[in-house]
Amino acid sequence: MARSGNASPKNRTRPVYIVDGSRTPFLKFRGKPNAFSAADMGVAAGRQLLLRMPFEPDALDQVIFGCAGPAADEANIARIIALRLGCGNRVPAWSVQRNCGSGMQALDCGLHDIQAGRSELVLAGGTEAMSRAPLLFDPRFVEWLADFNRAKTALAKAKQLGRLRPGMLKPVVALLKGLTDPVSGMSMGQTAENIAWRFGITRNEMDQYACRSHQRLAQAQDDDLLTELEPLHGPDGRAYDMDDGVRRESTVDDLGRLKPVFEKPYGKVTAGNSAQVTDGACAVMLASEEAVEKHGLPVLARIVDSEWAGLDPAQMGLGPVHAVTPMLRRHRFALGSIDYWELNEAFAAQVLACTAAWRDRSYCREQLGLSKPWGDIDPDRLNVDGGGISLGHPVGTSGARITLHLAHVLRRFGGRRGVATQCIGGGQGGAMLIENPEASA
Amino acid sequence: MSGTKLQHCTIERDSDGIAWVTLDVQGEAANSLSTEVLKELEAALDELDSGDRPKGIVFQSGKSGFIAGANVQELGAIENATEADALIERGQRVMDRIEAMTAPTVALIRGFCLGGGLELALACRYRVADRDPSTRLGLPEVRLGIHPGFGGTVRLPDLIGAPAALDLMLSGRTLEGRAAQRMGLVDFALSPWQLVDATRDLIRRDPGRHRPKWWQRLAGTLPGRYALKPIMQRQVKQSARAEHYPAPYAMLDLWVRHGGESAPSRIKAERTSLTRLIDGPTAGNLIRVFLLQDRLKREARSSDVVVPNRVHVIGAGTMGGDIAAWLALNGCRVTLFDEHDKAVASTLKRARSLFQKRLKRPERVTAALDRLTPDPRNRGVEGADIIIEAIVENLDAKQGLFRSLEPRMREDAILATNTSSLPLEQLAEGLQQPGRLIGLHFFNPVAKMPLVEIVAGEHSDATNLDRGQALIASADKLPLRVKSAPGFLVNRVLMPYMIRAAELYAKGTQRESLDEAAKRFGMPMGPLELADAVGLDVCVAAVDVMAEPLGLEVPASMRSMVDNGTLGRKSGRGFYVYDNKGKPDRGRISLEPAELDRLGQDLIKPLLDEAERTRDEGIVADGDLVDAGTIFGTGFAPFTGGPLHYREQHSGQRG
């Protein structure tokens, strides 16, 4: 095995490998809950992955899953997934929540435990069933109900009944709550509008970007390039074998006719140039060098480094800029040192704003501490097979998906280094630097 | 604690003065109430009656189950009414004595509590059961052609009321602890760690034996009994003919006629009725069938092998899909491959409804579904302990498949085929290790048919056959070793009978009469309705395989039906015409009973002849197994004890 000479300069630790990974098709939310719970999908992705492994599921040291919004009966969803995968009672499991960064956080936790020598084999990933986000009672209704139950006499009950107002019966959509930053009070779409304005991204640029995302995904589907995708089989007797959010026919003109959803009437961010609300899961097998040798595992990529950063929640879309810059700089890499990029598509505006920020002299100087603009990312090396806009963005899953897919992209093109990065609601960014050992000198 | 140790049970007295009687029959996997064990229980009761009277008495088991019932082996060996009467009398005496104990008595029930075991529990003042689903309570005697005889027909109605009691005894079904508690059959169904506390508490409080509600008691009055009789009788008639299965009718009669009498005289009537049943032919034959079933399971267990657990099934058609689902239901980790994703998906849908029906609780359904992994990329091959092939019946296709699989399989993995028509010797051609190929011939519908033929080809390795057999037994099916010969056992004995029916039909015998004649004989279905259900094309293909070696011929009429697309129920038209709900256009039976009886004999003769030939050719190890395979594989009238047994018993009347 080719060892990399590029281990973190600060900290020479045990190498950590991505052995393999699987994901479910991403299923778009079409107004009612899809057939699978988040745990169901985590199990579906995990068992296809484990089927390819030469060891039994109980050989794992731990299972870590990210999930931003598990259902009420999915507390510690990673443990549920581990047990349902047949890992047995003795494999511990824990769940992580870093909002849209949950899936990448799971990988990062596995990375750290393997580096530290606490684990050899970790199943890590993310899962999200956004279509199953619950409808909640209005807090006023909950209070009313409590008073009604406390009322002893028929008269008191009748009185309380008189206090019920129709407005109190309107359900609260948990999904919308989750996609709103409670500190700034802004929805995620509004933060995208904010940074689009900051860097002068036009509506047309956004729609062009979105259109290309769909075209790239369609091409990748046609050419069978989504290696990590495994069909899902539903209790409804249906086989789901493709990401179903892709719009093959939609043109920039079509997209241009959509109305803004977050800031009416002058906003630029539409349903068409935002990530779709989608369900899906992704599972990744991480291994130490010892585990690779012991079980004779293949190696897909090596995780070189990772980074997390915080920034103003109102500009959360720029998170990747703040996570990637310090990570690359400590390896003395420039943007151009990276062969392929996966920058999670939460919003077309946000992806374009990130690349614009690195070109922007004042942003680089004031926010990133760089003396001059850092440079450009070749659009042909960024999100080459589409992203959240065409695939959908199951929030807890995407971080794991882009990292895994990037590993396959590096293999496909013989690229050496790749960065997977994403913005995170609440004002954070996450990034992972991976390397294709085959391409290392 | 002070204790007494007998051979099969121990009595321990704790510091509260409670005597714990623990039954643990030596040399047996499960407790059963043989004469020897009953004698020892009498000795234990003597001991409890002497000296210091205990404050309470608890009956429990030292094994994983409570008591599985009477000793069926012993029942089967009973030769005359006197022997039967003596056994029943002893059992009844033991139960009467338990009931008469002055101290409160409790049966502490974990695992199987069936037949005589439940009758012992019924004789106790209280019953406490584990709520785990492995605990089952019931009086299944009717399945052996008899009815409860240790006071069960008396004490069960007295405890829970006649309607519920009769339902349990007539159907022979078993209950989980919680269902038993709802019925009043047990006082508590609890988590295992609560059982001892509950037992002590019942003894301390001694609240009195459970009584049925007033309206449940109403059914036991004379008018109640006569009002219920016709309703119950109708129910029984639906599942059993009186001339074939007298036990449920006897049970009902016992209750209607003696239900109002004093307990001792009812218990005496129970004994008289049961003695008569044991002395009759049906009970003996059904006990024989039970023992044959036991033999099939035992022979699979005795082989000292590692039972395969990781199963890879190739082909998600009706058979492949149902095999995969059945094995997953029974604890195997299954991967299922098919080129068509839709087939896999529809299997999963079928599997879910099967699991929901069998397992009920959602977490168990999910666990079973998680054991059934759809495998669209065929990756399960490498890790499998056994690969079961259920693709199209085509020699080239199967050979090609096997050749592609073998290099990927583990060195010790078994390759199994579900073929019903292709010779294993030919299928094994081209394999590096022909010994790894065995046949596992399941029947359709998989979930309902108890038998699986374990087919030994000329090259099949003995260990692989043992392992296949063990897998089938562990998956709650009855494995039967058969030689690789056209039609194996089941299809071979079945087809001549169906051909005969088709010939008679072609010659003008009424189809309804043909089917009724077979059912009068005791077949679960008539031959023509069976052919329609299986599919005429499938029947013709099955006969074609045997045609040459066995000198069989498909009736021309049947072949032309297939050529015309008249395939049976699936095409809406076969011997019958089916409406869109699948209901056949069945008409009135035109023949008289005596004619039907003659017709039944005529129909069944080719089956009996063929059964004899399979025995003579050694298709299975002996004649008993021919009977077992025919009963469990075709549903052949169980009360006859099997085709060979039937012919032997009726040989005097032949000609």
Side-chain angles (χ1 to χ4, degrees), chain A residues 207 210-219 221-222 244-258 272 276 390:
Chain A
D207 288 344
C211 190
R212 200 174 55 201
S213 177
H214 284 284
Q215 286 163 356
R216 285 182 170 182
L217 176 60
Q219 191 66 47
Q221 287 182 345
D222 294 346
D244 63 4
V246 65
R247 288 193 212 96
R248 288 168 173 268
E249 273 82 43
S250 79
T251 63
V252 177
D253 287 346
D254 296 335
L255 290 169
R257 279 191 287 276
L258 296 173
Q276 300 170 25
S390 46

PDB file of all heavy atoms in Angstrom, chain A residues 207 210-219 221-222 244-258 272 276 390:
ATOM      1  N   ASP A 207     -29.734  29.974 -11.615  1.00  0.00           N
ATOM      2  CA  ASP A 207     -30.529  29.017 -12.392  1.00  0.00           C
ATOM      3  C   ASP A 207     -29.651  28.215 -13.342  1.00  0.00           C
ATOM      4  O   ASP A 207     -29.878  27.029 -13.566  1.00  0.00           O
ATOM      5  CB  ASP A 207     -31.631  29.756 -13.163  1.00  0.00           C
ATOM      6  CG  ASP A 207     -32.725  30.255 -12.226  1.00  0.00           C
ATOM      7  OD1 ASP A 207     -32.769  29.773 -11.061  1.00  0.00           O
ATOM      8  OD2 ASP A 207     -33.519  31.128 -12.627  1.00  0.00           O
ATOM      9  N   ALA A 210     -28.057  25.612 -11.254  1.00  0.00           N
ATOM     10  CA  ALA A 210     -29.014  24.562 -10.899  1.00  0.00           C
ATOM     11  C   ALA A 210     -29.281  23.646 -12.086  1.00  0.00           C
ATOM     12  O   ALA A 210     -29.315  22.414 -11.956  1.00  0.00           O
ATOM     13  CB  ALA A 210     -30.320  25.195 -10.427  1.00  0.00           C
ATOM     14  N   CYS A 211     -29.415  24.246 -13.243  1.00  0.00           N
ATOM     15  CA  CYS A 211     -29.684  23.465 -14.446  1.00  0.00           C
ATOM     16  C   CYS A 211     -28.539  22.489 -14.722  1.00  0.00           C
ATOM     17  O   CYS A 211     -28.747  21.321 -15.041  1.00  0.00           O
ATOM     18  CB  CYS A 211     -29.882  24.433 -15.606  1.00  0.00           C
ATOM     19  SG  CYS A 211     -30.485  23.625 -17.066  1.00  0.00           S
ATOM     20  N   ARG A 212     -27.327  22.977 -14.553  1.00  0.00           N
ATOM     21  CA  ARG A 212     -26.166  22.123 -14.793  1.00  0.00           C
ATOM     22  C   ARG A 212     -26.115  20.966 -13.781  1.00  0.00           C
ATOM     23  O   ARG A 212     -25.723  19.852 -14.102  1.00  0.00           O
ATOM     24  CB  ARG A 212     -24.890  22.960 -14.716  1.00  0.00           C
ATOM     25  CG  ARG A 212     -23.718  22.282 -15.408  1.00  0.00           C
ATOM     26  CD  ARG A 212     -22.528  23.189 -15.452  1.00  0.00           C
ATOM     27  NE  ARG A 212     -22.184  23.656 -14.109  1.00  0.00           N
ATOM     28  CZ  ARG A 212     -21.465  24.747 -13.848  1.00  0.00           C
ATOM     29  NH1 ARG A 212     -21.018  25.495 -14.827  1.00  0.00           N
ATOM     30  NH2 ARG A 212     -21.193  25.081 -12.610  1.00  0.00           N
ATOM     31  N   SER A 213     -26.516  21.247 -12.565  1.00  0.00           N
ATOM     32  CA  SER A 213     -26.546  20.190 -11.554  1.00  0.00           C
ATOM     33  C   SER A 213     -27.439  19.039 -12.005  1.00  0.00           C
ATOM     34  O   SER A 213     -27.069  17.864 -11.915  1.00  0.00           O
ATOM     35  CB  SER A 213     -27.036  20.769 -10.220  1.00  0.00           C
ATOM     36  OG  SER A 213     -27.140  19.750  -9.251  1.00  0.00           O
ATOM     37  N   HIS A 214     -28.607  19.387 -12.539  1.00  0.00           N
ATOM     38  CA  HIS A 214     -29.520  18.348 -13.026  1.00  0.00           C
ATOM     39  C   HIS A 214     -28.922  17.607 -14.212  1.00  0.00           C
ATOM     40  O   HIS A 214     -29.008  16.384 -14.303  1.00  0.00           O
ATOM     41  CB  HIS A 214     -30.875  18.970 -13.416  1.00  0.00           C
ATOM     42  CG  HIS A 214     -31.723  19.314 -12.231  1.00  0.00           C
ATOM     43  ND1 HIS A 214     -32.393  18.361 -11.507  1.00  0.00           N
ATOM     44  CD2 HIS A 214     -32.003  20.498 -11.636  1.00  0.00           C
ATOM     45  CE1 HIS A 214     -33.057  18.945 -10.513  1.00  0.00           C
ATOM     46  NE2 HIS A 214     -32.832  20.243 -10.567  1.00  0.00           N
ATOM     47  N   GLN A 215     -28.301  18.372 -15.124  1.00  0.00           N
ATOM     48  CA  GLN A 215     -27.709  17.720 -16.304  1.00  0.00           C
ATOM     49  C   GLN A 215     -26.597  16.761 -15.908  1.00  0.00           C
ATOM     50  O   GLN A 215     -26.477  15.663 -16.427  1.00  0.00           O
ATOM     51  CB  GLN A 215     -27.157  18.780 -17.265  1.00  0.00           C
ATOM     52  CG  GLN A 215     -28.243  19.520 -18.014  1.00  0.00           C
ATOM     53  CD  GLN A 215     -27.729  20.813 -18.639  1.00  0.00           C
ATOM     54  OE1 GLN A 215     -26.571  21.192 -18.446  1.00  0.00           O
ATOM     55  NE2 GLN A 215     -28.597  21.493 -19.372  1.00  0.00           N
ATOM     56  N   ARG A 216     -25.802  17.197 -14.955  1.00  0.00           N
ATOM     57  CA  ARG A 216     -24.679  16.345 -14.531  1.00  0.00           C
ATOM     58  C   ARG A 216     -25.178  15.068 -13.863  1.00  0.00           C
ATOM     59  O   ARG A 216     -24.653  13.990 -14.092  1.00  0.00           O
ATOM     60  CB  ARG A 216     -23.769  17.125 -13.588  1.00  0.00           C
ATOM     61  CG  ARG A 216     -22.923  18.136 -14.332  1.00  0.00           C
ATOM     62  CD  ARG A 216     -21.998  18.873 -13.395  1.00  0.00           C
ATOM     63  NE  ARG A 216     -21.042  19.663 -14.173  1.00  0.00           N
ATOM     64  CZ  ARG A 216     -20.077  20.380 -13.636  1.00  0.00           C
ATOM     65  NH1 ARG A 216     -19.931  20.434 -12.316  1.00  0.00           N
ATOM     66  NH2 ARG A 216     -19.236  21.057 -14.397  1.00  0.00           N
ATOM     67  N   LEU A 217     -26.197  15.208 -13.024  1.00  0.00           N
ATOM     68  CA  LEU A 217     -26.734  14.005 -12.376  1.00  0.00           C
ATOM     69  C   LEU A 217     -27.343  13.068 -13.416  1.00  0.00           C
ATOM     70  O   LEU A 217     -27.118  11.856 -13.386  1.00  0.00           O
ATOM     71  CB  LEU A 217     -27.768  14.366 -11.312  1.00  0.00           C
ATOM     72  CG  LEU A 217     -28.450  13.154 -10.657  1.00  0.00           C
ATOM     73  CD1 LEU A 217     -27.426  12.244  -9.972  1.00  0.00           C
ATOM     74  CD2 LEU A 217     -29.504  13.589  -9.649  1.00  0.00           C
ATOM     75  N   ALA A 218     -28.083  13.642 -14.370  1.00  0.00           N
ATOM     76  CA  ALA A 218     -28.708  12.812 -15.401  1.00  0.00           C
ATOM     77  C   ALA A 218     -27.638  12.048 -16.174  1.00  0.00           C
ATOM     78  O   ALA A 218     -27.762  10.850 -16.429  1.00  0.00           O
ATOM     79  CB  ALA A 218     -29.529  13.685 -16.344  1.00  0.00           C
ATOM     80  N   GLN A 219     -26.552  12.758 -16.514  1.00  0.00           N
ATOM     81  CA  GLN A 219     -25.449  12.118 -17.240  1.00  0.00           C
ATOM     82  C   GLN A 219     -24.830  10.997 -16.403  1.00  0.00           C
ATOM     83  O   GLN A 219     -24.572   9.901 -16.891  1.00  0.00           O
ATOM     84  CB  GLN A 219     -24.397  13.178 -17.573  1.00  0.00           C
ATOM     85  CG  GLN A 219     -23.330  12.702 -18.551  1.00  0.00           C
ATOM     86  CD  GLN A 219     -23.930  12.409 -19.927  1.00  0.00           C
ATOM     87  OE1 GLN A 219     -24.690  13.208 -20.449  1.00  0.00           O
ATOM     88  NE2 GLN A 219     -23.609  11.245 -20.477  1.00  0.00           N
ATOM     89  N   GLN A 221     -26.237   9.299 -14.068  1.00  0.00           N
ATOM     90  CA  GLN A 221     -27.166   8.163 -14.010  1.00  0.00           C
ATOM     91  C   GLN A 221     -27.080   7.351 -15.293  1.00  0.00           C
ATOM     92  O   GLN A 221     -27.003   6.130 -15.261  1.00  0.00           O
ATOM     93  CB  GLN A 221     -28.606   8.660 -13.810  1.00  0.00           C
ATOM     94  CG  GLN A 221     -28.879   9.168 -12.402  1.00  0.00           C
ATOM     95  CD  GLN A 221     -30.322   9.607 -12.204  1.00  0.00           C
ATOM     96  OE1 GLN A 221     -31.069   9.801 -13.157  1.00  0.00           O
ATOM     97  NE2 GLN A 221     -30.723   9.768 -10.946  1.00  0.00           N
ATOM     98  N   ASP A 222     -27.049   8.055 -16.435  1.00  0.00           N
ATOM     99  CA  ASP A 222     -26.995   7.350 -17.716  1.00  0.00           C
ATOM    100  C   ASP A 222     -25.714   6.552 -17.871  1.00  0.00           C
ATOM    101  O   ASP A 222     -25.707   5.462 -18.430  1.00  0.00           O
ATOM    102  CB  ASP A 222     -27.134   8.347 -18.872  1.00  0.00           C
ATOM    103  CG  ASP A 222     -28.505   9.012 -18.890  1.00  0.00           C
ATOM    104  OD1 ASP A 222     -29.402   8.498 -18.192  1.00  0.00           O
ATOM    105  OD2 ASP A 222     -28.667  10.040 -19.578  1.00  0.00           O
ATOM    106  N   ASP A 244     -34.700  10.227  -7.306  1.00  0.00           N
ATOM    107  CA  ASP A 244     -35.874  10.586  -8.102  1.00  0.00           C
ATOM    108  C   ASP A 244     -36.130  12.091  -8.192  1.00  0.00           C
ATOM    109  O   ASP A 244     -37.156  12.520  -8.691  1.00  0.00           O
ATOM    110  CB  ASP A 244     -37.118   9.850  -7.602  1.00  0.00           C
ATOM    111  CG  ASP A 244     -37.475  10.232  -6.175  1.00  0.00           C
ATOM    112  OD1 ASP A 244     -36.801  11.126  -5.612  1.00  0.00           O
ATOM    113  OD2 ASP A 244     -38.423   9.653  -5.622  1.00  0.00           O
ATOM    114  N   GLY A 245     -35.155  12.887  -7.726  1.00  0.00           N
ATOM    115  CA  GLY A 245     -35.380  14.335  -7.780  1.00  0.00           C
ATOM    116  C   GLY A 245     -34.887  14.985  -9.055  1.00  0.00           C
ATOM    117  O   GLY A 245     -35.144  16.159  -9.294  1.00  0.00           O
ATOM    118  N   VAL A 246     -34.177  14.206  -9.872  1.00  0.00           N
ATOM    119  CA  VAL A 246     -33.550  14.796 -11.053  1.00  0.00           C
ATOM    120  C   VAL A 246     -34.617  15.250 -12.056  1.00  0.00           C
ATOM    121  O   VAL A 246     -35.594  14.561 -12.276  1.00  0.00           O
ATOM    122  CB  VAL A 246     -32.555  13.802 -11.698  1.00  0.00           C
ATOM    123  CG1 VAL A 246     -33.274  12.589 -12.241  1.00  0.00           C
ATOM    124  CG2 VAL A 246     -31.723  14.477 -12.768  1.00  0.00           C
ATOM    125  N   ARG A 247     -34.413  16.464 -12.601  1.00  0.00           N
ATOM    126  CA  ARG A 247     -35.319  16.950 -13.644  1.00  0.00           C
ATOM    127  C   ARG A 247     -34.514  17.052 -14.928  1.00  0.00           C
ATOM    128  O   ARG A 247     -33.751  17.987 -15.125  1.00  0.00           O
ATOM    129  CB  ARG A 247     -35.881  18.328 -13.276  1.00  0.00           C
ATOM    130  CG  ARG A 247     -36.876  18.273 -12.155  1.00  0.00           C
ATOM    131  CD  ARG A 247     -37.627  19.601 -12.053  1.00  0.00           C
ATOM    132  NE  ARG A 247     -37.974  19.857 -10.675  1.00  0.00           N
ATOM    133  CZ  ARG A 247     -37.249  20.617  -9.856  1.00  0.00           C
ATOM    134  NH1 ARG A 247     -36.169  21.231 -10.298  1.00  0.00           N
ATOM    135  NH2 ARG A 247     -37.623  20.791  -8.613  1.00  0.00           N
ATOM    136  N   ARG A 248     -34.684  16.051 -15.775  1.00  0.00           N
ATOM    137  CA  ARG A 248     -33.861  15.965 -16.971  1.00  0.00           C
ATOM    138  C   ARG A 248     -34.215  17.041 -17.982  1.00  0.00           C
ATOM    139  O   ARG A 248     -33.369  17.514 -18.717  1.00  0.00           O
ATOM    140  CB  ARG A 248     -34.041  14.591 -17.616  1.00  0.00           C
ATOM    141  CG  ARG A 248     -33.386  13.500 -16.814  1.00  0.00           C
ATOM    142  CD  ARG A 248     -33.788  12.121 -17.255  1.00  0.00           C
ATOM    143  NE  ARG A 248     -32.977  11.161 -16.519  1.00  0.00           N
ATOM    144  CZ  ARG A 248     -31.827  10.684 -16.977  1.00  0.00           C
ATOM    145  NH1 ARG A 248     -31.377  11.045 -18.152  1.00  0.00           N
ATOM    146  NH2 ARG A 248     -31.124   9.858 -16.251  1.00  0.00           N
ATOM    147  N   GLU A 249     -35.498  17.398 -18.020  1.00  0.00           N
ATOM    148  CA  GLU A 249     -35.938  18.286 -19.095  1.00  0.00           C
ATOM    149  C   GLU A 249     -35.829  19.757 -18.729  1.00  0.00           C
ATOM    150  O   GLU A 249     -35.975  20.614 -19.591  1.00  0.00           O
ATOM    151  CB  GLU A 249     -37.385  17.967 -19.482  1.00  0.00           C
ATOM    152  CG  GLU A 249     -37.497  16.871 -20.534  1.00  0.00           C
ATOM    153  CD  GLU A 249     -37.394  15.492 -19.902  1.00  0.00           C
ATOM    154  OE1 GLU A 249     -38.009  15.289 -18.848  1.00  0.00           O
ATOM    155  OE2 GLU A 249     -36.670  14.642 -20.453  1.00  0.00           O
ATOM    156  N   SER A 250     -35.632  20.069 -17.473  1.00  0.00           N
ATOM    157  CA  SER A 250     -35.804  21.478 -17.115  1.00  0.00           C
ATOM    158  C   SER A 250     -34.654  22.328 -17.659  1.00  0.00           C
ATOM    159  O   SER A 250     -33.498  21.929 -17.662  1.00  0.00           O
ATOM    160  CB  SER A 250     -35.961  21.648 -15.603  1.00  0.00           C
ATOM    161  OG  SER A 250     -34.733  21.579 -14.982  1.00  0.00           O
ATOM    162  N   THR A 251     -34.998  23.490 -18.186  1.00  0.00           N
ATOM    163  CA  THR A 251     -34.028  24.397 -18.796  1.00  0.00           C
ATOM    164  C   THR A 251     -33.871  25.609 -17.908  1.00  0.00           C
ATOM    165  O   THR A 251     -34.618  25.804 -16.949  1.00  0.00           O
ATOM    166  CB  THR A 251     -34.538  24.871 -20.168  1.00  0.00           C
ATOM    167  OG1 THR A 251     -35.746  25.608 -19.950  1.00  0.00           O
ATOM    168  CG2 THR A 251     -34.811  23.691 -21.088  1.00  0.00           C
ATOM    169  N   VAL A 252     -32.876  26.429 -18.238  1.00  0.00           N
ATOM    170  CA  VAL A 252     -32.662  27.654 -17.485  1.00  0.00           C
ATOM    171  C   VAL A 252     -33.913  28.529 -17.571  1.00  0.00           C
ATOM    172  O   VAL A 252     -34.315  29.150 -16.590  1.00  0.00           O
ATOM    173  CB  VAL A 252     -31.430  28.396 -18.024  1.00  0.00           C
ATOM    174  CG1 VAL A 252     -31.224  29.722 -17.290  1.00  0.00           C
ATOM    175  CG2 VAL A 252     -30.185  27.522 -17.899  1.00  0.00           C
ATOM    176  N   ASP A 253     -34.555  28.500 -18.737  1.00  0.00           N
ATOM    177  CA  ASP A 253     -35.780  29.297 -18.891  1.00  0.00           C
ATOM    178  C   ASP A 253     -36.876  28.817 -17.949  1.00  0.00           C
ATOM    179  O   ASP A 253     -37.552  29.604 -17.304  1.00  0.00           O
ATOM    180  CB  ASP A 253     -36.288  29.217 -20.336  1.00  0.00           C
ATOM    181  CG  ASP A 253     -35.399  30.025 -21.267  1.00  0.00           C
ATOM    182  OD1 ASP A 253     -34.594  30.828 -20.736  1.00  0.00           O
ATOM    183  OD2 ASP A 253     -35.500  29.843 -22.500  1.00  0.00           O
ATOM    184  N   ASP A 254     -37.027  27.476 -17.908  1.00  0.00           N
ATOM    185  CA  ASP A 254     -38.046  26.923 -17.000  1.00  0.00           C
ATOM    186  C   ASP A 254     -37.770  27.380 -15.579  1.00  0.00           C
ATOM    187  O   ASP A 254     -38.668  27.808 -14.861  1.00  0.00           O
ATOM    188  CB  ASP A 254     -38.006  25.387 -17.017  1.00  0.00           C
ATOM    189  CG  ASP A 254     -38.372  24.827 -18.378  1.00  0.00           C
ATOM    190  OD1 ASP A 254     -39.080  25.525 -19.116  1.00  0.00           O
ATOM    191  OD2 ASP A 254     -37.943  23.684 -18.689  1.00  0.00           O
ATOM    192  N   LEU A 255     -36.507  27.248 -15.199  1.00  0.00           N
ATOM    193  CA  LEU A 255     -36.152  27.602 -13.823  1.00  0.00           C
ATOM    194  C   LEU A 255     -36.382  29.092 -13.576  1.00  0.00           C
ATOM    195  O   LEU A 255     -36.764  29.501 -12.488  1.00  0.00           O
ATOM    196  CB  LEU A 255     -34.685  27.238 -13.546  1.00  0.00           C
ATOM    197  CG  LEU A 255     -34.396  25.726 -13.481  1.00  0.00           C
ATOM    198  CD1 LEU A 255     -32.884  25.476 -13.466  1.00  0.00           C
ATOM    199  CD2 LEU A 255     -35.037  25.113 -12.250  1.00  0.00           C
ATOM    200  N   GLY A 256     -36.160  29.868 -14.612  1.00  0.00           N
ATOM    201  CA  GLY A 256     -36.298  31.304 -14.495  1.00  0.00           C
ATOM    202  C   GLY A 256     -37.726  31.756 -14.219  1.00  0.00           C
ATOM    203  O   GLY A 256     -37.960  32.856 -13.748  1.00  0.00           O
ATOM    204  N   ARG A 257     -38.679  30.887 -14.552  1.00  0.00           N
ATOM    205  CA  ARG A 257     -40.070  31.265 -14.340  1.00  0.00           C
ATOM    206  C   ARG A 257     -40.572  31.003 -12.917  1.00  0.00           C
ATOM    207  O   ARG A 257     -41.649  31.421 -12.554  1.00  0.00           O
ATOM    208  CB  ARG A 257     -40.961  30.525 -15.345  1.00  0.00           C
ATOM    209  CG  ARG A 257     -40.989  31.195 -16.728  1.00  0.00           C
ATOM    210  CD  ARG A 257     -42.072  30.609 -17.600  1.00  0.00           C
ATOM    211  NE  ARG A 257     -41.712  29.267 -18.067  1.00  0.00           N
ATOM    212  CZ  ARG A 257     -40.938  29.043 -19.146  1.00  0.00           C
ATOM    213  NH1 ARG A 257     -40.461  30.051 -19.841  1.00  0.00           N
ATOM    214  NH2 ARG A 257     -40.662  27.822 -19.516  1.00  0.00           N
ATOM    215  N   LEU A 258     -39.760  30.309 -12.116  1.00  0.00           N
ATOM    216  CA  LEU A 258     -40.208  29.991 -10.746  1.00  0.00           C
ATOM    217  C   LEU A 258     -40.171  31.236  -9.874  1.00  0.00           C
ATOM    218  O   LEU A 258     -39.362  32.133 -10.063  1.00  0.00           O
ATOM    219  CB  LEU A 258     -39.308  28.902 -10.142  1.00  0.00           C
ATOM    220  CG  LEU A 258     -39.353  27.542 -10.847  1.00  0.00           C
ATOM    221  CD1 LEU A 258     -38.293  26.616 -10.250  1.00  0.00           C
ATOM    222  CD2 LEU A 258     -40.737  26.918 -10.721  1.00  0.00           C
ATOM    223  N   GLY A 272     -36.322  25.886  -7.330  1.00  0.00           N
ATOM    224  CA  GLY A 272     -35.533  25.277  -8.392  1.00  0.00           C
ATOM    225  C   GLY A 272     -34.039  25.427  -8.217  1.00  0.00           C
ATOM    226  O   GLY A 272     -33.276  24.593  -8.697  1.00  0.00           O
ATOM    227  N   GLN A 276     -33.223  20.052  -2.760  1.00  0.00           N
ATOM    228  CA  GLN A 276     -34.552  19.482  -2.545  1.00  0.00           C
ATOM    229  C   GLN A 276     -34.653  18.887  -1.147  1.00  0.00           C
ATOM    230  O   GLN A 276     -33.672  18.452  -0.571  1.00  0.00           O
ATOM    231  CB  GLN A 276     -34.798  18.379  -3.573  1.00  0.00           C
ATOM    232  CG  GLN A 276     -34.733  18.874  -4.998  1.00  0.00           C
ATOM    233  CD  GLN A 276     -34.736  17.719  -5.983  1.00  0.00           C
ATOM    234  OE1 GLN A 276     -35.218  16.637  -5.685  1.00  0.00           O
ATOM    235  NE2 GLN A 276     -34.194  17.976  -7.166  1.00  0.00           N
ATOM    236  N   SER A 390     -29.947  18.718  -7.519  1.00  0.00           N
ATOM    237  CA  SER A 390     -30.552  17.687  -8.355  1.00  0.00           C
ATOM    238  C   SER A 390     -30.843  16.408  -7.567  1.00  0.00           C
ATOM    239  O   SER A 390     -31.841  15.727  -7.815  1.00  0.00           O
ATOM    240  CB  SER A 390     -29.626  17.367  -9.532  1.00  0.00           C
ATOM    241  OG  SER A 390     -28.296  17.212  -9.091  1.00  0.00           O
TER     242      SER A 390
END
